[in-house]
Amino acid sequence: MSTQQTTALAQSGAQLPVTMGFGDLASFEFLQRTAKAFASSTMVPTAYQAMVTTGYGQNQKIEPNPAAMSNCMIALDMAQRMNANPLQVMQNLHVIEGKPSWSSQFIIAAINSSGKFSPLRFDLEWLDEIDATYSTFEWENRQKIEKKHKIRIKNARCVAWATEKATGQRLESAPVTMEMAVNEGWYGKNGSKWRSMPDLMLRYRSAAFFGRIYAPELLMGLPTAEEVQDVFVQDGAGNVVHTGSHVVPPSSGTLDPTTGTVAEDEKTYPDAEFKKGMPGWAKAIAAGKKTLDAVIVTLESKGSVTGEQRKALADAVAALAPQDAIVKEHAEAVTPDADAPTVDADTLAQRLREAKDTDALYQAADLIDTLQHEHRSALNDIFNLRLAELGG
């Protein structure tokens, strides 16, 4: 509505239409009411829903999402400024680690419907094969390890282009190549789509380059989801996490150029740490809480256990065995108290994580066998991880 129309309506005494926004109280309240309606819907993505489902299996529960209203209000304001459908914006505005990002399909649609350009087109050219080396990061023995791979891939070059309607000029994005994808680390990222569908990813990335150069007002300074996913990875629970949050060793070894495999450097368990933790490990093994092999597996997540270290631990267990056998026999002769306090799986998991030393950790671990079998595996994993963190 023009300024003249607004002035005329005000002078005639007619009520001005209220629009959503942050400019005045009426607009803000209208925005809040609309956001509440969207937050109550199950058709919007999880980041915008007032109630979300968390956990799995028996631990699944419905919890409130305190950020839902605010997320909906921001998305509604963006939709109004872009003259776009609010649901379309919410479906294509992904929130990853608190960082909003557009889907590439939305950027292509926004460029095509902006009226400034002809429909976006792509020049995709397949080139000669090239040799490339990339890294992947995998969990092995509770450590994140870099693995180098040498492959031969078919190079390609993609350019997104459109004609500017005002001038008739052909506008082109910066070229995107498979060689660039390898060098920038996009190709080697765990779960990367650059390996399974390179032609689609080439088009998506070149479209993002075009929008960033010629239509930044449509992107509003936000990256594409594909760009963010090249920096973020998905964990086993389905959560998206930043790779920088993990301590990743610079390299696990040296790349063999003939085979493309990595010869890993051998690292032994520090002897000083081993001697410090050995009394606690021996006590747990002698008491039947852990087996010798299970302790060795846990220790080798930090370094290889030598034959001398293994023998020293076995000798320490043997020295404690007679005394612990008497204690165990006495304990079995005592009738357990039916009114003894019980503990649930969540509380016990918290006790294991918060254990300040190995003694407290082993005391908590004693209760694992009192729970149902379905909880024991997860709790044993927490125990082993905390034991490694405590150096025991």
Side-chain angles (χ1 to χ4, degrees), residues 100-260:
S101 58
W102 295 117
S103 69
S104 291
Q105 300 97 311
F106 180 81
I107 290 178
I108 296 172
I111 292 172
N112 290 345
S113 61
S114 67
K116 297 173 59 178
F117 314 98
S118 65
L120 201 62
R121 295 293 182 263
F122 303 91
D123 287 342
L124 178 60
E125 179 184 7
W126 289 97
L127 307 173
D128 296 333
E129 291 186 344
I130 59 172
D131 291 323
T133 301
Y134 68 94
S135 297
T136 59
F137 296 91
E138 301 175 7
W139 287 101
E140 289 188 0
N141 296 326
R142 304 187 183 278
Q143 285 186 319
K144 199 161 193 179
I145 302 297
E146 177 190 5
K147 291 191 174 181
K148 294 184 181 294
H149 308 269
K150 183 178 180 181
I151 59 168
R152 188 168 182 81
I153 63 172
K154 194 170 183 63
N155 197 12
R157 181 180 186 273
C158 185
V159 172
W161 66 272
T163 302
E164 188 177 27
K165 292 183 177 180
T167 63
Q169 182 182 0
R170 174 185 166 112
L171 304 177
E172 294 185 353
S173 71
V176 181
T177 66
M178 289 298 296
E179 185 176 11
M180 177 193 297
V182 173
N183 293 337
E184 292 294 323
W186 310 335
Y187 187 91
K189 183 181 66 66
N190 291 343
S192 172
K193 297 298 182 182
W194 284 92
R195 284 178 255 169
S196 57
M197 46 183 69
D199 51 347
L200 181 63
M201 297 303 293
L202 286 164
R203 289 179 170 90
Y204 278 175
R205 187 54 57 90
S206 59
F209 283 2
F210 183 96
R212 205 171 303 288
I213 297 171
Y214 300 111
E217 69 279 7
L218 299 179
L219 276 65
M220 302 180 70
L222 303 181
T224 67
E226 287 73 23
E227 288 176 303
V228 176
Q229 287 285 9
D230 281 334
V231 181
F232 290 78
V233 296
Q234 204 169 37
D235 64 15
N239 302 312
V240 182
V241 296
H242 196 280
T243 54
S245 63
H246 301 295
V247 179
V248 179
S251 177
S252 60
T254 306
L255 175 67
D256 185 343
T258 59
T259 63

Side-chain angles (χ1 to χ4, degrees), residues 273-296:
E273 291 186 22
F274 186 88
K275 290 179 179 178
K276 180 181 179 181
M278 187 168 63
W281 307 327
K283 181 179 178 182
I285 296 170
K289 300 174 183 177
K290 284 289 178 182
T291 65
L292 176 62
D293 289 338
V295 172
I296 294 298

